[in-house]
Amino acid sequence: MSGALARLIRSGPALAAAGRPETCELCAAPVAEEHPHLFETAAHEVRCVCGPCSVLFAEQGSGGGRYRLVPRRRVRLAPVDTAALGVPVGLVFFVPRADGTVTAQGPSPAGAMRWEVDADAWQGLAAACPPLGSVVPDVEALLVNTVRGQEEHWIVPVDDCFRMVALVRAEWQGLSGGDRVWPAVERFFAELTERS
């Protein structure tokens, strides 16, 4: 989903700084700073949309399944033991796909790193943590932060995950991240709490 990440990095504040308003990718109308997103199933990318266009895709199966509205729910979970998923990083998100596969992605200075996760391991984790069974494929994710003693486990919209990856990429300095990246990550998770 490098296209979605690239759009997030160059959108919003970057466009505002350049004097260009962000627009709906379906009708070209201006969109607010906080706006809905659609997941384009064929391209596996997230698209910015205005409120009226998002309503067109609110029902499952709308638009012939080409686009799916990214939900807005954010649910904080009790700590989830993700060790069985085999991902060796503490800041990562897991996205179950409509085809039954599961991907994990973690931020890095160069963008998102991606791993394939064993689908049976994901199913086992979902059986142990029933809220994970409600994660909507392709458009929601399990977002985990266990870096520096944190215990953050959330079900979030995938666009939140891409914002987090863009934030890490923008704030990272040097080999270890520098002084700005980890406070920025902590603020990101504090904002999730405020928005949930």
Side-chain angles (χ1 to χ4, degrees), residues 1 4-5 8 33-37 46 70-75 91-93 95 105 107 138-144 154-168 185 188-189 191-196:
M1 292 205 187
L5 176 60
L8 275 173
E33 185 175 334
E34 286 284 324
H35 56 268
H37 292 99
V46 175
V70 175
R72 302 308 324 145
R73 79 172 175 147
R74 295 170 180 94
V75 180
L91 185 56
V92 65
F93 60 97
V95 182
Q105 296 183 60
D138 297 319
V139 294
E140 287 187 318
L142 168 63
L143 175 61
V144 176
W154 290 81
I155 295 172
V156 296
V158 293
D159 51 359
D160 279 352
C161 300
F162 296 128
R163 280 190 315 104
M164 186 263 304
V165 170
L167 171 80
V168 169
V185 168
F188 173 86
F189 280 93
E191 289 171 10
L192 281 186
T193 300
E194 292 170 8
R195 298 168 113 191
S196 64

Side-chain angles (χ1 to χ4, degrees), residues 4-105:
L5 176 60
R7 261 193 312 287
L8 275 173
I9 289 169
R10 69 176 181 257
S11 69
L15 286 175
R20 294 190 334 238
E22 194 167 8
T23 59
C24 175
E25 292 186 56
L26 295 182
C27 73
V31 296
E33 185 175 334
E34 286 284 324
H35 56 268
H37 292 99
L38 295 177
F39 177 76
E40 185 177 358
T41 55
H44 287 270
E45 291 189 352
V46 175
R47 306 283 183 201
C48 298
V49 292
C50 63
C53 284
S54 73
V55 172
L56 299 173
F57 300 94
E59 297 296 322
Q60 187 166 348
S62 303
R66 179 177 176 188
Y67 295 106
R68 296 180 56 207
L69 185 62
V70 175
R72 302 308 324 145
R73 79 172 175 147
R74 295 170 180 94
V75 180
R76 187 166 189 174
L77 304 174
V80 178
D81 184 3
T82 58
L85 300 179
V87 177
V89 295
L91 185 56
V92 65
F93 60 97
F94 300 91
V95 182
R97 302 291 178 193
D99 64 5
T101 62
V102 180
T103 60
Q105 296 183 60

Side-chain angles (χ1 to χ4, degrees), residues 100-158:
T101 62
V102 180
T103 60
Q105 296 183 60
S108 79
M113 302 176 294
R114 182 180 169 132
W115 302 268
E116 295 298 318
V117 173
D118 181 70
D120 290 335
W122 173 263
Q123 292 301 324
L125 187 63
C129 179
L132 293 181
S134 71
V135 173
V136 181
D138 297 319
V139 294
E140 287 187 318
L142 168 63
L143 175 61
V144 176
N145 178 15
T146 58
V147 174
R148 297 183 168 206
Q150 299 295 309
E151 282 292 341
E152 300 273 0
H153 298 82
W154 290 81
I155 295 172
V156 296
V158 293

